[in-house]
Amino acid sequence: MGQPRPSVRRRRVASLLIRHREAADKTPDEAAARIDCHRSKISRMENAWLPISSSELRDLLTFYGVDDPAYVEEVVALNRQGSERGWAQRFDITPPSYVDYIDYEESASHIRSFQPMMVAGLLQTADYARAVYRASPFDIPPERIDELVAVRLQRQKVLDHAEPPRLSVILGEASLRGHVGGVHVLRKQLDHLRKLADRPNIDLQVLPFTAGAHAGIMGSFVLFSFSTAAFSDVACVEHQAGMLYMEKPEETSAYTLTFDSLRSSALSASESLDLLTRVIREL
């Protein structure tokens, strides 16, 4: 069995170390001399394969000219969390990019999701999720589907935390009308959405068919935001082979602009609930 994949948090700390070292115009050899280690250790730290102690991290950040105490402590806290094994480690989760997705979901303070064709994963019932997996072209065995559904339900527990993330979801009208799992499953799913929409941390809007061409016509995406300056926004696009993550400011700002435009095109929260109620009555 190979070495476990470094966590998202550890990889974030590694990328911050590289960014601050390069901004300070320091070489890996100079960093190694600063903390009295071999150059290979710096390389492995910056590749996220070797953990770094809090004292070494503080020393390097000071050496790189990072003098904001609050920011330094955020990075140190992120580094401590980087060695913690999350609940996802108990499951056989593939592809590895899905583990990263769960890590982002668990760490985010605000999750924005646009799903034009199906209900967002954090809002799905078990039966709806099972129907989605059964529709896969990859012929997933029943026992594997059970495990994937269990992962999805475990993910949803993030909404029950003492300080849950804010969840803003825009669903396409097609996601409300597609008979995923049949009428009975869909009706239970839509009833579940109505209940979740009452939660203070959940904003639910529907983009109606009548919206016509819109900013999200290229497809679904999720945007994660975090309460710490050590973590920049992350945009995620799912595809058949895994997840694509984008973290550059010009990339995440494009998705932020797209989501804001979609919010303007979508029905208000109350209008969305009215449409949801009408769809349920029509089933």
Side-chain angles (χ1 to χ4, degrees):
M1 189 173 181
Q3 188 173 357
R5 177 181 172 86
S7 69
V8 161
R9 296 173 182 84
R10 181 178 289 178
R11 299 204 306 276
R12 169 63 65 172
V13 171
S15 68
L16 290 174
L17 283 173
I18 295 173
R19 189 180 80 189
H20 289 306
R21 177 176 60 74
E22 292 178 343
D25 198 24
K26 303 293 185 182
T27 67
D29 287 319
E30 290 174 317
R34 172 73 177 198
I35 62 173
D36 192 24
C37 70
H38 194 274
R39 186 187 187 283
S40 62
K41 180 176 180 177
I42 297 297
S43 177
R44 294 177 67 198
M45 286 176 176
E46 291 185 351
N47 286 325
W49 289 112
L50 185 69
I52 180 172
S53 69
S54 295
S55 59
E56 288 175 326
L57 180 56
R58 287 193 177 93
D59 199 5
L60 284 175
L61 290 175
T62 298
F63 185 51
Y64 299 153
V66 180
D67 55 7
D68 182 343
Y71 175 77
V72 169
E73 291 310 308
E74 285 184 353
V75 178
V76 169
L78 193 65
N79 182 58
R80 282 197 298 267
Q81 296 164 4
S83 59
E84 298 173 358
R85 289 173 60 85
W87 62 262
Q89 303 294 334
R90 301 198 306 267
F91 294 88
D92 176 21
I93 298 177
T94 54
S97 58
Y98 188 24
V99 178
D100 292 346
Y101 186 92
I102 293 171
D103 207 352
Y104 285 130
E105 212 169 52
E106 289 280 323
S107 307
S109 57
H110 189 189
I111 303 170
R112 284 164 282 184
S113 178
F114 171 57
Q115 303 296 331
M117 298 304 295
M118 72 173 183
V119 174
L122 286 178
L123 305 180
Q124 291 178 7
T125 64
D127 288 339
Y128 185 97
R130 185 169 285 106
V132 170
Y133 285 121
R134 283 175 178 164
S136 170
F138 300 111
D139 193 24
I140 307 174
E143 61 274 12
R144 178 60 176 161
I145 289 178
D146 288 342
E147 186 172 52
L148 290 170
V149 171
V151 170
R152 182 145 299 187
L153 296 181
Q154 181 67 35
R155 281 173 47 203
Q156 294 173 3
K157 291 183 179 180
V158 71
L159 299 176
D160 298 322
H161 288 179
E163 296 184 10
R166 178 184 173 190
L167 178 62
S168 300
V169 177
I170 299 174
L171 298 177
E173 186 173 344
S175 69
L176 306 184
R177 295 189 180 276
H179 289 192
V180 175
V183 172
H184 178 69
V185 169
L186 180 61
R187 181 179 286 111
K188 289 179 62 177
Q189 174 62 74
L190 298 184
D191 282 334
H192 185 60
L193 284 178
R194 284 201 299 187
K195 294 174 184 176
L196 290 174
D198 286 336
R199 295 195 183 190
N201 62 308
I202 296 179
D203 304 315
L204 178 63
Q205 291 180 265
V206 176
L207 185 69
F209 290 141
T210 54
H214 53 78
I217 206 162
M218 296 297 290
S220 62
F221 63 89
V222 178
L223 186 63
F224 299 103
S225 297
F226 308 88
S227 58
T228 170
F231 243 125
S232 57
D233 286 358
V234 177
C236 172
V237 175
E238 186 173 1
H239 53 86
Q240 288 289 3
M243 312 280 189
L244 173 64
Y245 298 107
M246 292 158 280
E247 302 183 26
K248 295 179 181 178
E250 61 269 25
E251 295 170 332
T252 57
S253 63
Y255 279 97
T256 299
L257 180 63
T258 299
F259 194 85
D260 289 344
S261 177
L262 287 167
R263 290 188 65 181
S264 298
S265 300
L267 300 174
S268 68
S270 60
E271 291 170 336
S272 296
L273 282 177
D274 288 343
L275 176 58
L276 186 57
T277 300
R278 289 202 305 272
V279 173
I280 292 173
R281 289 173 180 168
E282 292 169 8
L283 290 176

